[in-house]
Amino acid sequence: DTEVTQTPKHLVMGMTNKKSLKCEQHMGHRAMYWYKQKAKKPPELMFVYSYEKLSINESVPSRFSPECPNSSLLNLHLHALQPEDSALYLCASSQPDREVKGQYFGPGTRLTVT
Amino acid sequence: ELKVEQNPLFLSMQEGKNYTIYCNYSTTSDRLYWYRQDPGKSLESLFVLLSNGAVKQEGRLMASLDTKARLSTLHITAAVHDLSATYFCAPGRDDKIIFGKGTRLHILP
């Protein structure tokens, strides 16, 4: 299994809602990532978990809250988002220290904040 | 801070032609990736370059890395329409990789 899955595929939420994005991989990778990508822009790193511990937080606003319940799962909890947070949210995974095959990306969740 | 400059940002070319995309980065990097992204889709890993002088080829695409010049290239040979996409280079350091702005490649039939 060389796949990263993400749910939901699409999400529309109001500014007062609370929702979560989910990411799952069963490749035994021990590093997992959240990226945000706006249209016609490159992905921007948000968070990195390495061996289930948060190792990088790229100064992301607290309305985004990551969680790594186990080595296969990564969540991104969303609360009180702004319309400018609308974007494609990509999850990726890799084997840390030996990224000979790069990061595997999931299909993304397209988020619209109304 | 690792910065990445990719050029050109947009490239329109005829089928059958050759072209090169350039990727310069600012500080020492221990690996470099090339990714492809089709419109509305996720990213697909094309190449991972791990050492100076590394060259990898897959079909009509060939990637190379010069760590001393902090330069990677993606060369397209005899382009075909199916290669139309956005191509990102992404050097890595420690736990993270930084994406270039991407090259939107449009190949005219």
Side-chain angles (χ1 to χ4, degrees), chain B:
Chain B
E1 184 187 344
L2 182 56
K3 293 187 178 178
V4 188
E5 194 173 300
Q6 197 174 328
N7 67 82
L9 297 182
F10 183 78
L11 178 57
S12 182
M13 56 194 289
Q14 296 283 343
E15 275 194 328
K17 298 290 187 185
N18 304 334
Y19 212 81
T20 301
I21 300 169
Y22 296 88
C23 175
N24 288 93
Y25 53 96
S26 59
T27 63
T28 305
S29 168
D30 49 30
R31 60 202 186 279
L32 189 136
Y33 307 102
W34 284 95
Y35 285 92
R36 169 182 171 148
Q37 188 174 33
D38 291 294
K41 303 287 186 184
S42 188
L43 285 92
E44 175 192 354
S45 178
L46 296 174
F47 299 109
V48 180
L49 303 168
L50 298 175
S51 59
N52 187 42
V55 177
K56 291 198 175 176
Q57 183 162 4
E58 180 76 33
R60 298 173 190 275
L61 300 178
M62 183 173 71
S64 67
L65 178 63
D66 180 343
T67 57
K68 292 178 182 169
R70 295 181 187 153
L71 170 69
S72 180
T73 61
L74 180 67
H75 186 74
I76 302 146
T77 302
V80 293
H81 181 65
D82 285 353
L83 291 179
S84 296
T86 298
Y87 293 85
F88 293 100
C89 72
R93 190 172 183 180
D94 300 323
D95 273 354
K96 57 181 172 180
I97 63 177
I98 304 296
F99 285 85
K101 289 185 176 179
T103 296
R104 288 177 60 204
L105 180 61
H106 182 52
I107 298 171
L108 304 167

Side-chain angles (χ1 to χ4, degrees), chain A residues 27-51:
Chain A
M27 295 178 276
H29 289 170
R30 301 310 298 273
M32 296 185 78
Y33 311 79
W34 281 115
Y35 290 86
K36 172 182 175 181
Q37 187 179 28
K38 303 281 270 185
K40 294 187 169 57
K41 298 288 185 186
E44 295 175 9
L45 182 66
M46 299 174 73
F47 302 104
V48 180
Y49 273 83
S50 184
Y51 296 94

